[in-house]
Amino acid sequence: MLKASFYTLGCRLNQAETALISSTFTDGGYEIVPFNESADVCVINSCTVTEHADAKCRQLVRQVLKRNPQTYVAVVGCYSQTSSEALKKVDGIDLIIGTQEKLKVLQHIDEPSKTPQPKIVRDTVDRKSFTIDIKDPKIKTTRANIKIQDGCDFMCSFCVIPFARGRARSRAFWDIQREAIDLASQGFKELVITGVNIGTYQFEGKSFLDVLKMLLSIPGLERIRISSIEPTTIPYELLDIMADNEKLCPHLHIPLQSGCDKTLSAMKRKYNVKEYMEFIDAAYKKIPNIMLATDIIVGFPGETQTDFAQTCATFRDSPLTYVHVFSFSQRDKTAAGRLPDKIDPRTKKQRSKELHVLSDQKKQKFYEQSLGQTVRLLVENQSHNGHWQGFSDNYIKIAVDIPGIKKNDLINVQLKEVLDDVVYATNGDF
Ligand code: SF4
């Protein structure tokens, strides 16, 4: 039996797509092995959001070939779409597939044997709505990602995603429903809605809220989680649904990118700090236990120390709980890539560190304020010390030592103690 291994770089959407690609290999008679084992075929699902992601992809190719020089290497996805010529120069790659055909990678492998030159499949990305024709995907995680949308039309000045994934397009409503019912019947209790810009979902008059309401109505699904969603695309009605329906997790990840209006404008974001905060404050007022998270880029060209201090203050004084910090990365295709006043790497590193510290403090405070509460835990995996771990509805990372529980159990636990970024809990039914 031929063996295939996979590696995913980048976002949750890439993770969802790797699961789909992996299913096609299982159906094609391959045995799926861990990435660190020798395989006949290795698929790297790439990311190109930062220079670091590009470099990591090239390093992974070398790593695979060091383990087994005969492994057939396919690099698919965003980096392949934007930089196929650069990838062509990396020794040992056999297949380079861009965004349009990435889910069909197996169909492009005639025979998994090394080739002198890579085959390049890099079509223009469709604008049309789409379906995903992979039945019964073999998802190994407890929470299943469900892709509803792809691409983006917003053209933020720093972002290469519209070049890598193409323009915004939505998955057929009925196709999402079909997969969600299927996942529920397989026993999945939580679905995470994924896409590039999910709030812009549009299919035959159906909006993002219609998708959400449809998913909430499917019997068997206990939790629906929204992944990252753009600030200007979220209707306030979402907060009413979240407040009234315990299936919809009180957890939103809303990218702020900067807490300074001058920088937001240079980033070509569609809101100012005041507008963003109005929504965040409304969310917090309506759903006091909500976990609100964000992304912030540090070291955007022209960002002064005062601008950065303003960003820190905006984050610190808001109900936001934690931030994913990104250091600005020069992407040549983007408008920001051509801006003057680049920030030096040392300053970026220092700003990133400061924001990380602030984020850790705020998260710790949120966790401490939650102690004593009884929350629902979806049990995901067992750590090396035997404790089971998972997340609450509002995304608190929890560890428990309760006899008899198992993966995919949804149980009530009482939060007891914060230790190293995890909240320890006991059985909440007593
Ligand atoms: S909204 Fe902006 S940051 Fe997000 S994918 Fe679109 S262009 Fe990129």
Side-chain angles (χ1 to χ4, degrees):
M1 194 183 223
L2 290 169
K3 293 178 178 175
S5 67
F6 297 85
Y7 197 100
T8 310
L9 288 160
C11 61
R12 180 178 289 282
L13 183 54
N14 256 13
Q15 288 167 21
E17 289 168 342
T18 302
L20 295 168
I21 298 169
S22 160
S23 296
T24 64
F25 276 76
T26 310
D27 293 344
Y30 279 76
E31 178 192 351
I32 310 301
V33 297
F35 178 74
N36 57 8
E37 282 183 22
S38 175
D40 299 287
V41 177
C42 176
V43 179
I44 299 170
N45 192 1
S46 66
C47 168
T48 191
V49 163
T50 61
E51 293 162 86
H52 176 73
D54 292 353
K56 176 79 181 167
C57 179
R58 296 190 298 268
Q59 185 214 327
L60 286 166
V61 173
R62 289 192 289 273
Q63 202 177 315
V64 171
L65 293 169
K66 196 170 166 203
R67 203 159 28 242
N68 179 358
Q70 292 314 310
T71 298
Y72 181 97
V73 179
V75 178
V76 307
C78 294
Y79 188 27
S80 303
Q81 183 69 26
T82 59
S83 311
S84 56
E85 286 307 310
L87 272 172
K88 202 174 153 187
K89 294 187 190 127
V90 179
D91 284 343
I93 300 179
D94 302 288
L95 180 60
I96 297 168
I97 301 191
T99 299
Q100 182 68 26
E101 291 284 301
K102 71 188 278 190
L103 297 185
K104 297 181 187 151
V105 52
L106 185 56
Q107 292 176 26
H108 290 281
I109 302 175
D110 305 325
E111 197 188 322
S113 49
K114 299 299 288 173
T115 54
Q117 281 293 316
K119 174 175 163 187
I120 300 180
V121 183
R122 190 187 161 280
D123 298 339
T124 311
V125 184
D126 263 354
R127 282 223 62 162
K128 296 194 298 260
S129 55
F130 61 94
T131 57
I132 297 177
D133 304 319
I134 298 169
K135 303 286 178 281
D136 188 20
K138 319 281 181 296
I139 299 169
K140 296 206 172 61
T141 50
T142 316
R143 291 177 281 145
N145 295 313
I146 185 154
K147 176 176 173 177
I148 69 160
Q149 188 274 344
D150 205 339
C152 182
D153 292 340
F154 279 17
M155 301 301 284
C156 300
S157 68
F158 55 83
C159 184
V160 74
I161 290 175
F163 302 94
R165 282 195 172 264
R167 311 310 292 262
R169 55 208 181 275
S170 299
R171 182 174 177 184
F173 187 83
W174 52 265
D175 196 44
I176 301 170
Q177 190 171 31
R178 175 198 60 72
E179 187 185 358
I181 291 171
D182 189 35
L183 289 167
S185 72
Q186 287 179 45
F188 284 97
K189 292 178 179 156
E190 178 174 329
L191 299 192
V192 185
I193 303 173
T194 52
V196 173
N197 194 341
I198 58 176
T200 62
Y201 181 91
Q202 276 300 332
F203 177 79
E204 295 181 353
K206 303 277 192 202
S207 67
F208 172 70
L209 278 190
D210 294 318
V211 173
L212 189 62
K213 287 174 190 167
M214 176 269 286
L215 293 175
L216 289 168
S217 71
I218 293 177
L221 295 176
E222 305 281 351
R223 299 210 295 205
I224 305 296
R225 195 178 295 278
I226 298 169
S227 60
S228 188
I229 185 161
E230 275 297 304
T232 50
T233 66
I234 325 170
Y236 275 72
E237 190 191 339
L238 175 75
L239 300 178
D240 297 326
I241 301 173
M242 200 173 264
D244 292 343
N245 193 326
E246 73 153 12
K247 271 193 182 186
L248 181 55
C249 293
H251 172 208
L252 286 172
H253 191 108
I254 310 175
L256 171 62
Q257 306 302 12
S258 170
C260 149
D261 282 339
K262 186 197 94 190
T263 311
L264 282 178
S265 165
M267 288 175 164
K268 301 259 180 293
R269 299 289 284 172
K270 294 177 179 292
Y271 52 87
N272 58 33
V273 174
K274 185 168 170 283
E275 287 160 344
Y276 177 96
M277 282 307 158
E278 271 168 14
F279 184 83
I280 294 289
D281 288 338
Y284 183 62
K285 215 173 263 169
K286 191 141 220 142
I287 309 149
N289 68 334
I290 192 170
M291 169 80 86
L292 291 162
T294 195
D295 296 332
I296 290 177
I297 296 173
V298 295
F300 187 81
E303 183 192 59
T304 63
Q305 198 52 37
T306 311
D307 298 337
F308 174 66
Q310 210 175 321
T311 291
C312 289
T314 302
F315 172 65
R316 189 193 55 225
D317 300 337
S318 73
L320 291 164
T321 306
Y322 70 91
V323 54
H324 286 165
V325 185
F326 296 88
S327 292
F328 175 77
S329 184
Q330 165 95 17
R331 304 282 71 196
D332 291 339
K333 291 186 168 58
T334 64
R338 296 186 290 276
L339 286 177
D341 302 327
K342 299 281 186 290
I343 307 300
D344 68 273
R346 255 188 59 212
T347 306
K348 281 198 266 189
K349 207 168 167 190
Q350 179 57 32
R351 290 179 186 172
S352 168
K353 203 170 142 194
E354 274 180 50
L355 210 44
H356 271 113
V357 170
L358 195 53
S359 176
D360 289 348
Q361 287 167 352
K362 290 200 76 174
K363 197 179 206 181
Q364 173 88 8
K365 195 168 161 210
F366 183 86
Y367 279 7
E368 281 167 2
Q369 283 169 346
S370 306
L371 294 181
Q373 291 176 9
T374 297
V375 299
R376 288 197 307 175
L377 162 70
L378 181 63
V379 179
E380 294 195 14
N381 49 48
Q382 211 164 11
S383 65
H384 55 89
N385 62 7
H387 288 168
W388 284 97
Q389 294 195 336
F391 289 89
S392 66
D393 294 2
N394 62 348
Y395 214 58
I396 294 173
K397 191 171 183 190
I398 297 172
V400 289
D401 183 15
I402 301 173
I405 62 170
K406 57 188 184 315
K407 188 173 169 166
N408 208 32
D409 281 350
L410 191 60
I411 56 173
N412 287 331
V413 296
Q414 193 178 35
L415 304 176
K416 291 289 185 188
E417 189 184 8
V418 187
L419 263 181
D420 297 334
D421 198 29
V422 178
V423 181
Y424 283 80
T426 54
N427 195 331
D429 287 330
F430 303 124

